[in-house]
Amino acid sequence: MSSSTPPPTIPRYDVFLSFRGFDTRRNFISFLYRELVRRNIRTFKDDKELKSGRRISPELERAIEESRFAVVVISPNYAASTWCLQELVKIMDFENRGYLTVIPVFYGVDPCHVRRQNGQVAVQFKKHEKREDHEKVLSWRQALTNLASISGVCTLKWVDDSIMVDEIAERISTLIDTTRKPTRTGSNLVGIDAHMKALSRLLDLNSKKSVRVVGIWARGGNGRTALAKFVYKNICQHFESHCFLENVKRISQEDRHMSHLHQEILKRVQVETNQKVLLVANEVNKLEQLDALAEDFSCFGPGSIVIITTQDKQLLVSAGIKLVYEVELLRFRKVRELFRQLGFRVRERAIESVLCKGTNLAMKWLGCCLPC
């Protein structure tokens, strides 16, 4: 496949599972696959194990191209498989070009060992270096390092695989929802391109400064929520970790001490100190909720962005949030501009109509006065 070949417009699969069958096929992968299918998530799972030295098949390459997410399960013997490493290079290439989102699962291995390639991973790569082309091994190393730099799920932190499977499936389901819905609802907003352009200036994705907090205010709930989801979908790939809290108001109603907000963030994203994080808190209606959220995003790294949506403009003022985008202001301006354009056209047509009628009357009068 040429590196310039774009993926299809409509992906065939939601999830592509990359794993070492020897380690995980009969346990973790089988449970995860069953749960994803149960949730109607279209999942590709290859049931064949290639022998060492063989290239990945065109069918597998197409499946990667036609997927929206790739769940890569790094198990103790994953890096020992040249097939898995070839597959990973292809996955990371598509991730780098923004064609799919990668979710790493470190199954029985320490993410630091994978990223630094020491311990058992180092032993496996020494064997590869004796048998394989130097450039090829370098590409495998780079792909593995890039993968381990993405925030993922580590099984060493879990005591029950079944609960972990549920959490991963829920995370994927949420990601699918937040990337599907904005395409339908966000694009129906009045002047969506102008919204994005104006918001980009506030978000400043290239900033290396401390956490940037941006408010999105509108009286109507549908407009600000749709815009927040649309923005989340379009910029989340620029962050090491990201989380969309659908309804902060509802979450906080369950616990007046706001501890559920903290649990919800931890559940959806494995945040490490000083990471670049995107957090969208939708439907905030109390200052206490912002205070509870602040406890979490205070450890976010430089360039992190927190987006708060609310219908209470005074709430943003009280919290000291100075970067505020008013959705309805632009909507009003767009409508006013449209009326102005329409009004101008109506005036032009009215003048043309009068001129035409006047010309016809003049011609009739002249016709009557001319001699036969």
Side-chain angles (χ1 to χ4, degrees), residues 337-348:
E337 180 184 334
L338 181 61
F339 272 116
R340 281 179 175 173
Q341 291 172 355
L342 289 173
F344 181 68
R345 289 173 187 167
V346 167
R347 285 197 299 272
E348 282 186 328

Side-chain angles (χ1 to χ4, degrees), residues 3 10 21 51 99 118 170 175 232 304 315 324 340 342 351:
S3 60
I10 303 176
K51 293 181 180 179
Y99 293 157
N118 54 21
E170 178 62 28
L175 284 170
Y232 179 83
S304 295
L315 179 69
V324 179
R340 281 179 175 173
L342 289 173
I351 292 169

Side-chain angles (χ1 to χ4, degrees), residues 68-69 95 98 100-102 150-151 171 174-176 178-180 182 196 203 205 228-244 269 276-280 303 305 307:
R68 302 171 65 209
F69 297 89
E95 191 275 339
L100 57 71
T101 300
V102 176
I150 300 173
S151 177
R171 179 178 176 181
T174 301
L175 284 170
I176 289 172
T178 54
T179 53
R180 276 179 180 165
M196 285 299 297
L203 296 172
L205 295 177
K229 287 184 177 181
F230 190 84
V231 171
Y232 179 83
K233 177 210 169 191
N234 280 276
I235 70 172
C236 65
Q237 67 270 21
H238 297 287
F239 298 83
E240 295 174 282
S241 298
H242 44 84
C243 174
F244 189 100
V269 61
K276 185 178 179 181
V277 178
L278 170 65
L279 171 64
V280 178
I305 293 176
I307 298 175

Side-chain angles (χ1 to χ4, degrees), residues 10-261:
I10 303 176
R12 183 179 176 186
Y13 303 104
D14 292 314
V15 174
F16 178 92
L17 292 177
S18 177
F19 58 95
R20 180 71 196 272
F22 178 78
D23 292 335
T24 60
R25 187 189 303 279
R26 293 185 178 181
N27 41 59
F28 177 75
I29 287 296
S30 64
F31 300 141
L32 178 59
Y33 178 75
R34 184 175 63 183
E35 181 61 22
L36 292 173
V37 171
R38 189 187 70 79
R39 293 172 180 253
N40 295 317
I41 297 173
R42 298 166 301 169
T43 306
F44 181 92
K45 177 173 74 74
D46 183 48
D47 287 319
K48 298 185 292 293
E49 187 80 29
L50 284 182
K51 293 181 180 179
S52 177
R54 289 187 59 185
R55 292 175 57 84
I56 61 174
S57 67
E59 179 192 6
L60 277 181
E61 289 196 358
R62 282 196 301 273
I64 294 170
E65 295 170 23
E66 296 173 352
S67 299
R68 302 171 65 209
F69 297 89
V71 176
V72 182
V73 182
I74 304 295
S75 54
N77 291 292
Y78 185 93
S81 167
T82 58
W83 178 33
C84 286
L85 292 171
Q86 290 177 51
E87 190 174 276
L88 182 61
V89 168
K90 182 68 62 178
I91 290 170
M92 296 310 295
D93 175 50
F94 268 66
E95 191 275 339
N96 185 53
R97 289 188 279 153
Y99 293 157
L100 57 71
T101 300
V102 176
I103 302 172
V105 176
F106 301 97
Y107 191 82
V109 297
D110 190 326
C112 291
H113 291 173
V114 178
R115 184 164 54 249
R116 297 168 186 165
Q117 292 170 20
N118 54 21
Q120 191 173 356
V121 179
V123 174
Q124 292 162 349
F125 267 100
K126 280 184 179 179
K127 293 180 180 179
H128 293 322
E129 287 169 347
K130 292 178 182 178
R131 305 168 186 167
E132 303 291 342
D133 176 74
H134 178 67
E135 292 298 322
K136 183 184 290 186
V137 175
L138 279 180
S139 70
W140 294 346
R141 283 187 178 277
Q142 188 61 54
L144 204 59
T145 300
N146 291 345
L147 175 82
S149 299
I150 300 173
S151 177
V153 179
C154 181
T155 62
L156 299 178
K157 299 178 181 179
W158 295 81
V159 294
D160 192 321
D161 274 13
S162 64
I163 297 176
M164 184 180 65
V165 164
D166 287 341
E167 292 294 340
I168 294 171
E170 178 62 28
R171 179 178 176 181
I172 293 170
S173 180
T174 301
L175 284 170
I176 289 172
D177 286 343
T178 54
T179 53
R180 276 179 180 165
K181 292 178 182 177
T183 304
R184 297 195 299 268
T185 58
S187 57
N188 291 332
L189 286 172
V190 176
I192 186 63
D193 292 334
H195 280 295
M196 285 299 297
K197 186 176 180 180
L199 260 171
S200 294
R201 289 193 291 268
L202 295 179
L203 296 172
D204 192 10
L205 295 177
N206 296 320
S207 173
K208 302 296 182 183
K209 297 180 181 178
S210 58
V211 181
R212 203 172 184 82
V213 184
V214 177
I216 296 180
W217 171 80
R219 291 188 182 89
N222 292 335
R224 63 175 177 272
T225 298
L227 179 59
K229 287 184 177 181
F230 190 84
V231 171
Y232 179 83
K233 177 210 169 191
N234 280 276
I235 70 172
C236 65
Q237 67 270 21
H238 297 287
F239 298 83
E240 295 174 282
S241 298
H242 44 84
C243 174
F244 189 100
L245 294 177
E246 180 72 36
N247 195 326
V248 172
K249 180 170 61 178
R250 178 182 54 78
I251 296 171
S252 62
Q253 282 174 347
E254 299 171 5
D255 182 4
R256 63 186 182 89
H257 297 296
M258 308 294 171
S259 60
H260 282 187
L261 281 177

Side-chain angles (χ1 to χ4, degrees), residues 318-335:
S318 300
I321 299 174
K322 297 179 181 179
L323 301 174
V324 179
Y325 183 66
E326 300 182 5
V327 179
E328 294 194 8
L329 180 61
L330 180 61
R331 184 186 297 271
F332 172 73
R333 285 175 179 168
K334 294 293 288 186
V335 172

